[in-house]
Amino acid sequence: SSSGAGSTGCGWTGCGSTGTATARSPELPGRPEKHSLTLRGHRTSVSLETEFWQAFRAIAAAEGRGINDLAAEIDAARDPDRGLASAIRVHVLAWTEQRAAR
């Protein structure tokens, strides 16, 4: 099925010429994994791809904090129209880009 990227490719290594992702490509992110977090005393579940969970945990460790604390900060600062999983992904991307620019 087409990714909507058209004939220019989908942006992932392993995509066919029509922009379709190949299921066997190791470069594609994995399926989202659901994990429970506790935000300000309330349990919630968040689904993120394995690569985002790994990066999120690494960021928390680099900052000397737990993932619940970091998730609560992201949750408090996010736009109410953006889901927590999306806000975490954006945080991971922004943190990574900031470090790459140094």
Coordinates of all heavy atoms in Angstrom, one line a residue:
S1 N 0.8 -1.2 0.0 CA 0.0 0.0 0.0 C 0.9 1.2 0.0 O 2.0 1.2 0.5 CB -0.9 0.0 1.2 OG -0.2 0.2 2.4
S2 N 0.4 2.3 -0.6 CA 1.2 3.5 -0.7 C 1.2 4.3 0.6 O 0.3 4.4 1.3 CB 0.6 4.4 -1.8 OG 1.3 5.6 -1.9
S3 N 2.4 4.9 0.9 CA 2.5 5.7 2.1 C 2.1 7.1 1.9 O 2.1 7.9 2.8 CB 4.0 5.7 2.5 OG 4.8 6.4 1.6
G4 N 1.7 7.5 0.6 CA 1.3 8.8 0.3 C 2.4 9.7 -0.1 O 2.3 10.9 -0.4
A5 N 3.7 9.1 -0.1 CA 4.8 9.9 -0.5 C 5.0 10.0 -2.0 O 5.8 10.7 -2.5 CB 6.1 9.3 0.2
G6 N 4.3 9.2 -2.7 CA 4.4 9.2 -4.2 C 5.6 8.5 -4.7 O 6.3 7.8 -4.0
S7 N 6.0 8.8 -5.9 CA 7.1 8.1 -6.6 C 8.4 8.6 -6.1 O 9.4 8.1 -6.5 CB 7.0 8.3 -8.1 OG 7.1 9.6 -8.4
T8 N 8.5 9.6 -5.3 CA 9.8 10.1 -4.8 C 10.3 9.3 -3.6 O 11.4 9.6 -3.1 CB 9.7 11.6 -4.3 OG1 8.7 11.7 -3.3 CG2 9.3 12.5 -5.5
G9 N 9.6 8.3 -3.2 CA 10.0 7.5 -2.0 C 9.4 7.9 -0.8 O 8.8 9.0 -0.7
C10 N 9.5 7.1 0.3 CA 8.7 7.4 1.5 C 9.6 8.0 2.6 O 9.1 8.4 3.6 CB 8.1 6.1 2.0 SG 9.3 4.9 2.7
G11 N 10.9 8.2 2.3 CA 11.8 8.7 3.3 C 12.4 7.7 4.2 O 13.3 8.0 5.0
W12 N 12.0 6.5 4.1 CA 12.6 5.4 4.9 C 13.5 4.5 4.0 O 13.1 4.2 2.9 CB 11.6 4.5 5.6 CG 10.8 5.1 6.6 CD1 9.5 5.6 6.5 CD2 11.1 5.3 8.0 NE1 9.1 6.1 7.7 CE2 10.1 6.0 8.6 CE3 12.3 5.1 8.7 CZ2 10.1 6.3 9.9 CZ3 12.3 5.4 10.0 CH2 11.2 6.0 10.6
T13 N 14.6 4.1 4.4 CA 15.4 3.1 3.7 C 14.6 1.9 3.6 O 13.9 1.5 4.5 CB 16.7 2.8 4.4 OG1 17.4 4.1 4.5 CG2 17.6 1.8 3.6
G14 N 14.6 1.2 2.4 CA 13.8 0.0 2.2 C 12.5 0.2 1.6 O 11.7 -0.7 1.4
C15 N 12.2 1.5 1.2 CA 10.9 1.7 0.5 C 11.1 1.4 -1.0 O 12.1 1.6 -1.5 CB 10.5 3.2 0.6 SG 10.1 3.7 2.3
G16 N 10.0 1.0 -1.6 CA 10.0 0.7 -3.0 C 9.9 2.0 -3.8 O 9.7 3.1 -3.2
S17 N 10.0 1.9 -5.1 CA 10.0 3.1 -5.9 C 8.6 3.9 -5.9 O 8.6 5.0 -6.2 CB 10.3 2.8 -7.3 OG 9.4 1.9 -7.8
T18 N 7.6 3.2 -5.4 CA 6.3 3.8 -5.3 C 6.0 4.4 -4.0 O 4.9 4.9 -3.7 CB 5.1 2.8 -5.7 OG1 5.2 1.8 -4.8 CG2 5.3 2.3 -7.1
G19 N 7.0 4.3 -3.1 CA 6.8 4.9 -1.7 C 6.2 3.9 -0.8 O 5.8 4.2 0.3
T20 N 6.2 2.6 -1.1 CA 5.6 1.6 -0.2 C 6.7 1.0 0.6 O 7.8 0.7 0.1 CB 4.9 0.5 -1.0 OG1 5.9 -0.1 -1.9 CG2 3.7 1.0 -1.7
A21 N 6.5 0.9 1.9 CA 7.5 0.4 2.8 C 7.5 -1.1 2.7 O 6.4 -1.7 2.6 CB 7.2 0.8 4.2
T22 N 8.7 -1.7 2.8 CA 8.8 -3.2 2.8 C 8.7 -3.7 4.2 O 9.3 -3.1 5.1 CB 10.1 -3.6 2.1 OG1 11.2 -3.0 2.8 CG2 10.1 -3.3 0.7
A23 N 7.9 -4.7 4.5 CA 7.7 -5.2 5.8 C 9.0 -5.8 6.4 O 9.1 -5.8 7.6 CB 6.6 -6.3 5.8
R24 N 9.9 -6.2 5.6 CA 11.1 -6.8 6.1 C 12.3 -5.8 6.4 O 13.3 -6.2 6.9 CB 11.6 -7.9 5.1 CG 10.7 -9.0 5.0 CD 11.3 -10.1 4.1 NE 10.3 -11.1 3.9 CZ 9.7 -11.3 2.7 NH1 9.9 -10.5 1.7 NH2 8.8 -12.2 2.6
S25 N 12.1 -4.6 6.1 CA 13.2 -3.6 6.3 C 13.5 -3.4 7.7 O 12.7 -2.9 8.5 CB 12.7 -2.3 5.6 OG 13.8 -1.3 5.8
P26 N 14.8 -3.6 8.1 CA 15.1 -3.4 9.5 C 15.2 -2.0 9.9 O 15.3 -1.6 11.1 CB 16.5 -4.1 9.6 CG 17.0 -4.1 8.2 CD 15.8 -4.2 7.3
E27 N 15.2 -1.1 8.9 CA 15.4 0.3 9.2 C 14.0 1.0 9.6 O 14.0 2.1 10.2 CB 15.9 1.1 8.0 CG 17.3 0.7 7.6 CD 17.4 -0.5 6.7 OE1 16.3 -1.1 6.3 OE2 18.5 -1.0 6.4
L28 N 12.9 0.3 9.3 CA 11.6 0.9 9.7 C 11.4 0.7 11.2 O 11.8 -0.3 11.8 CB 10.5 0.2 8.9 CG 10.5 0.4 7.4 CD1 9.5 -0.5 6.8 CD2 10.3 1.9 7.1
P29 N 10.8 1.7 11.8 CA 10.5 1.6 13.2 C 9.5 0.4 13.5 O 8.7 0.0 12.7 CB 9.9 2.9 13.6 CG 9.4 3.5 12.4 CD 10.2 2.9 11.3
G30 N 9.7 -0.2 14.7 CA 8.8 -1.3 15.1 C 7.4 -0.8 15.5 O 7.1 0.3 15.5
R31 N 6.6 -1.8 15.8 CA 5.2 -1.5 16.2 C 5.2 -0.8 17.5 O 6.1 -1.1 18.4 CB 4.5 -2.8 16.3 CG 4.2 -3.5 15.1 CD 3.1 -4.5 15.4 NE 2.0 -4.2 14.5 CZ 1.4 -5.0 13.7 NH1 1.8 -6.2 13.7 NH2 0.4 -4.6 13.0
P32 N 4.3 0.0 17.8 CA 4.2 0.7 19.1 C 4.1 -0.3 20.2 O 3.4 -1.3 20.1 CB 3.0 1.6 19.0 CG 2.8 1.8 17.5 CD 3.3 0.6 16.9
E33 N 4.7 0.0 21.3 CA 4.6 -0.8 22.5 C 3.9 0.1 23.6 O 4.3 1.2 23.8 CB 6.0 -1.2 23.1 CG 6.8 -2.0 22.1 CD 8.2 -2.2 22.7 OE1 8.6 -1.7 23.8 OE2 9.0 -2.9 22.0
K34 N 3.0 -0.5 24.3 CA 2.3 0.2 25.3 C 2.9 0.0 26.7 O 3.3 -1.1 27.0 CB 0.8 -0.3 25.4 CG -0.1 0.6 26.3 CD -1.5 0.1 26.3 CE -2.2 0.6 25.1 NZ -3.6 0.4 25.1
H35 N 3.2 1.1 27.3 CA 3.8 1.1 28.7 C 3.0 2.0 29.6 O 2.4 3.0 29.1 CB 5.2 1.6 28.7 CG 6.2 0.6 27.9 ND1 6.8 -0.4 28.5 CD2 6.6 0.6 26.6 CE1 7.6 -1.0 27.7 NE2 7.4 -0.4 26.5
S36 N 2.9 1.6 30.9 CA 2.2 2.5 31.8 C 3.2 3.5 32.5 O 4.3 3.2 32.7 CB 1.7 1.6 33.0 OG 0.6 0.8 32.5
L37 N 2.7 4.7 32.6 CA 3.4 5.7 33.3 C 2.5 6.3 34.4 O 1.3 6.2 34.4 CB 3.7 6.9 32.3 CG 4.6 6.6 31.1 CD1 4.7 7.8 30.2 CD2 6.0 6.3 31.6
T38 N 3.2 6.9 35.4 CA 2.4 7.5 36.5 C 2.7 9.0 36.4 O 3.9 9.4 36.6 CB 2.8 6.9 37.9 OG1 2.6 5.5 37.8 CG2 2.0 7.6 39.0
L39 N 1.7 9.8 36.1 CA 1.9 11.2 36.0 C 1.1 11.9 37.1 O -0.1 11.8 37.2 CB 1.3 11.7 34.6 CG 1.8 11.0 33.4 CD1 1.2 11.6 32.2 CD2 3.3 11.1 33.3
R40 N 1.9 12.5 38.0 CA 1.3 13.2 39.2 C 0.3 12.3 39.9 O -0.8 12.8 40.2 CB 0.7 14.6 38.7 CG 1.7 15.5 38.2 CD 1.1 16.8 37.6 NE 0.2 16.6 36.5 CZ 0.6 16.3 35.2 NH1 1.8 16.2 34.9 NH2 -0.3 16.1 34.3
G41 N 0.7 11.1 40.1 CA -0.2 10.2 40.9 C -1.2 9.4 40.1 O -1.9 8.6 40.7
H42 N -1.3 9.7 38.8 CA -2.3 9.0 38.0 C -1.7 8.1 37.0 O -0.7 8.6 36.3 CB -3.2 10.0 37.3 CG -4.0 10.9 38.3 ND1 -5.1 10.4 38.9 CD2 -3.8 12.2 38.7 CE1 -5.5 11.4 39.7 NE2 -4.8 12.5 39.6
R43 N -2.1 6.9 36.9 CA -1.6 5.9 35.9 C -2.2 6.2 34.5 O -3.4 6.5 34.4 CB -1.9 4.5 36.3 CG -1.3 4.0 37.6 CD 0.1 3.7 37.5 NE 0.4 2.5 36.9 CZ 1.6 2.1 36.6 NH1 2.6 2.7 37.0 NH2 1.8 0.9 36.0
T44 N -1.3 6.1 33.5 CA -1.8 6.3 32.1 C -1.0 5.4 31.2 O 0.2 5.0 31.6 CB -1.7 7.7 31.6 OG1 -2.4 7.8 30.3 CG2 -0.3 8.2 31.5
S45 N -1.5 5.0 30.1 CA -0.7 4.1 29.2 C -0.3 5.0 27.9 O -1.1 5.8 27.5 CB -1.6 2.9 28.7 OG -1.8 2.1 29.8
V46 N 0.9 4.7 27.5 CA 1.4 5.4 26.3 C 2.0 4.4 25.4 O 2.7 3.5 25.8 CB 2.5 6.4 26.7 CG1 3.1 7.1 25.5 CG2 1.9 7.5 27.7
S47 N 1.6 4.5 24.1 CA 2.2 3.6 23.1 C 3.2 4.4 22.2 O 2.9 5.4 21.6 CB 1.0 3.1 22.1 OG 0.2 2.3 22.9
L48 N 4.4 3.9 22.2 CA 5.5 4.4 21.4 C 6.3 3.3 20.8 O 6.3 2.2 21.3 CB 6.5 5.2 22.3 CG 6.1 6.5 23.0 CD1 7.1 6.9 24.0 CD2 5.7 7.5 22.0
E49 N 6.9 3.6 19.7 CA 7.8 2.6 19.0 C 9.0 2.3 19.9 O 9.4 3.2 20.7 CB 8.2 3.1 17.7 CG 7.1 3.2 16.7 CD 6.2 4.5 16.9 OE1 6.6 5.4 17.7 OE2 5.2 4.5 16.2
T50 N 9.5 1.1 19.8 CA 10.7 0.7 20.7 C 11.8 1.8 20.6 O 12.4 2.1 21.7 CB 11.2 -0.6 20.2 OG1 10.2 -1.6 20.3 CG2 12.4 -1.1 21.0
E51 N 12.1 2.3 19.4 CA 13.2 3.3 19.3 C 12.9 4.5 20.1 O 13.8 5.1 20.7 CB 13.3 3.6 17.8 CG 13.8 2.4 17.0 CD 12.7 1.5 16.5 OE1 11.5 1.7 16.9 OE2 12.9 0.6 15.8
F52 N 11.6 5.0 20.2 CA 11.3 6.1 20.9 C 11.3 5.9 22.4 O 11.8 6.7 23.2 CB 9.9 6.7 20.5 CG 10.0 7.5 19.3 CD1 9.5 7.0 18.1 CD2 10.4 8.8 19.3 CE1 9.6 7.8 16.9 CE2 10.5 9.6 18.2 CZ 10.1 9.1 17.0
W53 N 10.9 4.7 22.9 CA 11.1 4.3 24.3 C 12.5 4.3 24.7 O 12.9 4.8 25.7 CB 10.4 3.0 24.6 CG 9.0 3.0 24.8 CD1 8.0 2.3 24.0 CD2 8.2 3.7 25.7 NE1 6.8 2.6 24.5 CE2 6.9 3.4 25.5 CE3 8.6 4.5 26.8 CZ2 5.9 4.0 26.3 CZ3 7.6 5.1 27.6 CH2 6.2 4.8 27.4
Q54 N 13.4 3.8 23.8 CA 14.8 3.7 24.1 C 15.4 5.1 24.2 O 16.1 5.4 25.2 CB 15.6 2.9 23.1 CG 15.2 1.4 23.1 CD 15.8 0.7 21.9 OE1 16.2 1.3 20.9 NE2 15.8 -0.6 22.0
A55 N 15.1 6.0 23.3 CA 15.5 7.4 23.3 C 15.0 8.1 24.5 O 15.7 8.9 25.1 CB 15.2 8.1 22.0
F56 N 13.7 7.9 24.8 CA 13.1 8.6 25.9 C 13.8 8.2 27.2 O 14.1 9.1 28.1 CB 11.6 8.3 25.9 CG 10.8 9.0 26.9 CD1 10.8 10.4 27.0 CD2 10.0 8.3 27.9 CE1 10.0 11.1 27.9 CE2 9.3 9.0 28.8 CZ 9.3 10.4 28.9
R57 N 14.0 6.9 27.4 CA 14.7 6.5 28.6 C 16.1 7.1 28.7 O 16.6 7.5 29.8 CB 14.8 5.0 28.7 CG 13.4 4.3 29.0 CD 13.6 2.8 29.2 NE 12.3 2.2 29.4 CZ 11.6 1.6 28.5 NH1 12.1 1.4 27.3 NH2 10.4 1.1 28.8
A58 N 16.8 7.1 27.5 CA 18.2 7.7 27.5 C 18.2 9.2 27.9 O 19.1 9.6 28.6 CB 18.8 7.4 26.1
I59 N 17.2 9.9 27.4 CA 17.1 11.3 27.7 C 16.9 11.5 29.2 O 17.5 12.3 29.9 CB 15.9 12.0 26.9 CG1 16.3 12.1 25.4 CG2 15.6 13.4 27.4 CD1 15.2 12.4 24.5
A60 N 15.9 10.7 29.8 CA 15.7 10.8 31.2 C 16.9 10.5 32.0 O 17.3 11.2 32.9 CB 14.5 9.9 31.6
A61 N 17.7 9.5 31.6 CA 18.9 9.1 32.3 C 19.9 10.2 32.2 O 20.6 10.5 33.1 CB 19.4 7.8 31.7
A62 N 20.1 10.8 31.0 CA 21.0 11.8 30.7 C 20.7 13.1 31.6 O 21.6 13.8 32.0 CB 21.1 12.2 29.3
E63 N 19.5 13.3 31.9 CA 19.0 14.4 32.7 C 19.0 14.0 34.2 O 18.6 14.8 35.0 CB 17.7 14.9 32.2 CG 17.8 15.5 30.8 CD 16.5 16.1 30.3 OE1 15.4 15.9 31.0 OE2 16.5 16.6 29.2
G64 N 19.3 12.8 34.5 CA 19.3 12.3 35.9 C 17.9 12.3 36.5 O 17.7 12.5 37.7
R65 N 16.9 11.9 35.7 CA 15.5 11.8 36.2 C 14.9 10.5 35.7 O 15.4 9.9 34.9 CB 14.7 13.0 35.7 CG 15.3 13.8 34.7 CD 14.7 15.0 34.1 NE 13.3 15.4 34.5 CZ 12.7 16.3 33.9 NH1 13.2 17.1 33.0 NH2 11.5 16.6 34.3
G66 N 13.7 10.2 36.3 CA 13.0 9.1 35.9 C 12.0 9.4 34.7 O 11.7 10.6 34.5
I67 N 11.6 8.4 34.0 CA 10.7 8.6 32.9 C 9.4 9.2 33.3 O 8.8 10.0 32.6 CB 10.6 7.4 32.0 CG1 9.9 6.2 32.7 CG2 11.9 7.0 31.4 CD1 9.6 5.1 31.7
N68 N 8.9 8.8 34.5 CA 7.6 9.4 34.9 C 7.7 10.9 35.2 O 6.8 11.6 34.8 CB 7.1 8.7 36.2 CG 6.7 7.3 36.0 OD1 6.1 6.9 34.9 ND2 6.9 6.4 36.9
D69 N 8.8 11.3 35.7 CA 9.0 12.7 36.0 C 9.1 13.5 34.6 O 8.5 14.6 34.5 CB 10.3 12.9 36.8 CG 10.6 14.4 37.1 OD1 9.7 15.1 37.6 OD2 11.7 14.8 36.9
L70 N 9.9 13.0 33.7 CA 10.0 13.6 32.4 C 8.7 13.6 31.7 O 8.3 14.6 31.1 CB 11.1 12.9 31.6 CG 11.4 13.5 30.2 CD1 11.7 15.0 30.3 CD2 12.5 12.7 29.5
A71 N 8.0 12.5 31.7 CA 6.7 12.4 31.0 C 5.7 13.4 31.6 O 4.9 14.1 30.9 CB 6.1 11.0 31.1
A72 N 5.7 13.6 33.0 CA 4.8 14.5 33.6 C 5.1 16.0 33.2 O 4.2 16.8 33.0 CB 4.9 14.4 35.1
E73 N 6.4 16.3 33.0 CA 6.8 17.6 32.6 C 6.3 17.9 31.1 O 5.7 18.9 30.8 CB 8.3 17.8 32.6 CG 8.8 19.2 32.2 CD 10.3 19.3 32.2 OE1 10.8 19.2 33.3 OE2 10.9 19.4 31.1
I74 N 6.5 16.9 30.3 CA 6.0 17.0 28.9 C 4.5 17.1 28.8 O 4.0 17.9 28.1 CB 6.5 15.8 28.1 CG1 8.0 15.8 27.9 CG2 5.9 15.7 26.7 CD1 8.6 14.5 27.4
D75 N 3.8 16.3 29.7 CA 2.4 16.3 29.7 C 1.9 17.7 30.1 O 0.9 18.2 29.5 CB 1.9 15.2 30.7 CG 0.4 15.1 30.7 OD1 -0.3 15.0 29.6 OD2 -0.2 15.1 31.8
A76 N 2.5 18.3 31.1 CA 2.0 19.6 31.6 C 2.3 20.7 30.6 O 1.5 21.7 30.6 CB 2.8 19.9 32.9
A77 N 3.3 20.6 29.8 CA 3.6 21.6 28.8 C 3.0 21.4 27.5 O 3.0 22.4 26.6 CB 5.2 21.7 28.7
R78 N 2.4 20.3 27.2 CA 1.9 20.0 25.8 C 0.6 20.7 25.5 O -0.2 21.1 26.4 CB 1.7 18.5 25.6 CG 0.5 17.9 26.3 CD 0.5 16.4 26.1 NE -0.5 15.8 27.0 CZ -1.7 15.5 26.8 NH1 -2.2 15.8 25.6 NH2 -2.5 14.9 27.7
D79 N 0.4 21.0 24.2 CA -0.9 21.5 23.8 C -2.0 20.5 24.0 O -1.8 19.3 23.8 CB -0.8 21.8 22.3 CG -2.0 22.4 21.6 OD1 -3.1 22.0 22.0 OD2 -1.8 23.3 20.8
P80 N -3.1 20.9 24.6 CA -4.2 19.9 24.9 C -4.7 19.2 23.7 O -5.3 18.1 23.8 CB -5.3 20.8 25.5 CG -4.8 22.2 25.7 CD -3.4 22.3 25.0
D81 N -4.5 19.7 22.5 CA -4.9 19.1 21.3 C -3.9 18.0 20.8 O -4.2 17.3 19.8 CB -5.1 20.1 20.1 CG -6.3 21.0 20.4 OD1 -7.2 20.5 21.2 OD2 -6.3 22.1 19.9
R82 N -2.7 17.9 21.4 CA -1.7 16.9 21.1 C -1.7 15.8 22.1 O -1.7 16.1 23.3 CB -0.3 17.6 21.0 CG 0.8 16.6 20.8 CD 2.1 17.3 20.6 NE 2.2 17.8 19.2 CZ 3.1 18.6 18.8 NH1 4.0 19.1 19.6 NH2 3.1 19.0 17.6
G83 N -1.7 14.6 21.6 CA -1.7 13.5 22.5 C -0.3 13.4 23.2 O 0.7 13.9 22.7
L84 N -0.3 12.7 24.4 CA 0.9 12.5 25.1 C 2.0 11.8 24.3 O 3.2 12.2 24.3 CB 0.7 11.8 26.4 CG 1.9 11.6 27.3 CD1 2.6 12.9 27.6 CD2 1.5 10.9 28.6
A85 N 1.6 10.7 23.6 CA 2.6 10.0 22.8 C 3.2 10.9 21.8 O 4.5 10.9 21.6 CB 2.0 8.7 22.2
S86 N 2.4 11.7 21.1 CA 3.0 12.6 20.1 C 3.9 13.6 20.7 O 5.0 14.0 20.2 CB 1.8 13.3 19.3 OG 1.1 12.4 18.6
A87 N 3.5 14.1 21.9 CA 4.3 15.1 22.6 C 5.7 14.5 23.0 O 6.7 15.2 22.9 CB 3.6 15.7 23.8
I88 N 5.7 13.3 23.4 CA 6.9 12.6 23.8 C 7.8 12.4 22.5 O 9.0 12.7 22.6 CB 6.7 11.2 24.5 CG1 6.1 11.5 25.9 CG2 8.0 10.4 24.6 CD1 5.6 10.2 26.6
R89 N 7.2 12.0 21.4 CA 8.0 11.9 20.2 C 8.6 13.2 19.8 O 9.8 13.3 19.4 CB 7.1 11.3 19.1 CG 6.8 9.9 19.2 CD 6.0 9.4 17.9 NE 5.5 8.1 18.1 CZ 4.2 7.9 18.5 NH1 3.4 8.9 18.7 NH2 3.8 6.7 18.6
V90 N 7.8 14.3 19.8 CA 8.3 15.6 19.5 C 9.5 16.0 20.4 O 10.5 16.6 20.0 CB 7.2 16.6 19.4 CG1 7.7 18.1 19.3 CG2 6.3 16.3 18.3
H91 N 9.3 15.7 21.7 CA 10.3 16.0 22.7 C 11.6 15.3 22.4 O 12.7 15.9 22.4 CB 9.8 15.7 24.1 CG 10.8 16.0 25.2 ND1 11.0 17.3 25.7 CD2 11.8 15.3 25.8 CE1 11.9 17.3 26.6 NE2 12.5 16.1 26.7
V92 N 11.5 14.0 22.1 CA 12.7 13.2 21.7 C 13.4 13.8 20.5 O 14.6 14.0 20.5 CB 12.3 11.7 21.5 CG1 13.4 10.9 20.8 CG2 11.9 11.1 22.8
L93 N 12.6 14.1 19.5 CA 13.2 14.7 18.3 C 13.8 16.0 18.6 O 15.0 16.3 18.1 CB 12.1 14.9 17.2 CG 12.5 15.5 15.9 CD1 13.5 14.7 15.2 CD2 11.3 15.8 15.0
A94 N 13.2 16.9 19.3 CA 13.7 18.2 19.6 C 15.0 18.1 20.5 O 16.0 18.8 20.2 CB 12.7 19.1 20.4
W95 N 15.0 17.2 21.4 CA 16.2 17.0 22.3 C 17.4 16.5 21.4 O 18.5 16.9 21.6 CB 15.9 16.0 23.4 CG 16.8 15.8 24.5 CD1 16.8 16.5 25.7 CD2 18.0 15.0 24.6 NE1 17.8 16.1 26.5 CE2 18.6 15.2 25.8 CE3 18.5 14.0 23.7 CZ2 19.7 14.5 26.2 CZ3 19.7 13.4 24.1 CH2 20.2 13.6 25.4
T96 N 17.1 15.5 20.5 CA 18.1 15.0 19.7 C 18.7 16.0 18.7 O 19.9 16.1 18.5 CB 17.5 13.8 18.9 OG1 17.0 12.8 19.8 CG2 18.6 13.1 18.0
E97 N 17.8 16.8 18.1 CA 18.2 17.8 17.2 C 19.0 18.9 17.9 O 20.0 19.4 17.4 CB 17.0 18.5 16.5 CG 16.4 17.6 15.5 CD 15.1 18.3 14.8 OE1 14.5 19.2 15.5 OE2 14.8 17.8 13.7
Q98 N 18.7 19.2 19.1 CA 19.4 20.2 19.9 C 20.8 19.7 20.2 O 21.8 20.5 20.1 CB 18.7 20.5 21.2 CG 19.3 21.6 22.0 CD 18.5 21.8 23.3 OE1 18.1 20.9 24.0 NE2 18.4 23.1 23.7
R99 N 21.0 18.4 20.5 CA 22.3 17.9 20.8 C 23.1 17.8 19.5 O 24.3 18.0 19.5 CB 22.2 16.5 21.4 CG 21.5 16.4 22.8 CD 22.0 17.5 23.7 NE 21.3 17.6 25.0 CZ 20.2 18.2 25.2 NH1 19.5 18.8 24.3 NH2 19.7 18.3 26.5
A100 N 22.5 17.5 18.4 CA 23.2 17.4 17.1 C 23.7 18.7 16.6 O 24.7 18.8 15.9 CB 22.3 16.8 16.1
A101 N 23.0 19.8 17.0 CA 23.4 21.2 16.6 C 24.6 21.7 17.4 O 25.2 22.7 17.0 CB 22.2 22.1 16.7
R102 N 25.0 21.0 18.4 CA 26.1 21.5 19.2 C 27.5 21.2 18.6 O 27.7 20.3 17.9 CB 26.1 20.8 20.6 CG 25.0 21.3 21.4 CD 25.0 20.7 22.8 NE 23.9 21.3 23.6 CZ 23.6 20.9 24.8 NH1 24.3 19.9 25.4 NH2 22.7 21.4 25.5

